[in-house]
Amino acid sequence: RMIAHGLSATEALVAATAGGAYALGLDAHVGTVVPGKLADLLVVDGDPLEHPELLSQRERIWLVIQRGAPVAGTALERDLDQVASPAG
């Protein structure tokens, strides 16, 4: 929505992360990926700065990491599929 209202993809991502943390007074603890801060990370198949629509395509979300632990994404789904039905 931010992009639809005129922000670039970079501006929208910064607003949603560092800007949101700053607005809530949490920027000392979250909002940017730096040592000492808490971070949830998203690994996508592609460049969301060039193609921000990737962030809304479930199949392009490769991995979601919360508090250092992988919790979702197609990489985990593939691993679970292999465990559920091993080749043999």
Side-chain angles (χ1 to χ4, degrees):
R1 291 184 184 232
M2 291 183 206
I3 294 168
H5 290 283
L7 273 77
S8 70
T10 300
E11 291 168 332
L13 287 172
V14 170
T17 55
Y22 177 78
L24 294 170
L26 300 172
D27 54 314
H29 308 286
V30 297
T32 55
V33 180
V34 297
K37 288 189 179 183
L38 298 173
D40 296 337
L41 302 174
L42 181 69
V43 180
V44 297
D45 177 20
D47 183 353
L49 297 179
E50 291 292 323
H51 305 283
E53 68 277 3
L54 296 176
L55 297 174
S56 64
Q57 298 172 359
R58 187 179 188 282
E59 68 278 3
R60 303 295 292 266
I61 306 299
W62 192 71
L63 189 61
V64 179
I65 301 173
Q66 291 180 325
R67 296 186 177 192
V71 296
T74 58
L76 292 180
E77 292 167 5
R78 286 186 205 133
D79 289 345
L80 290 175
D81 288 342
Q82 290 175 352
V83 170
S85 56

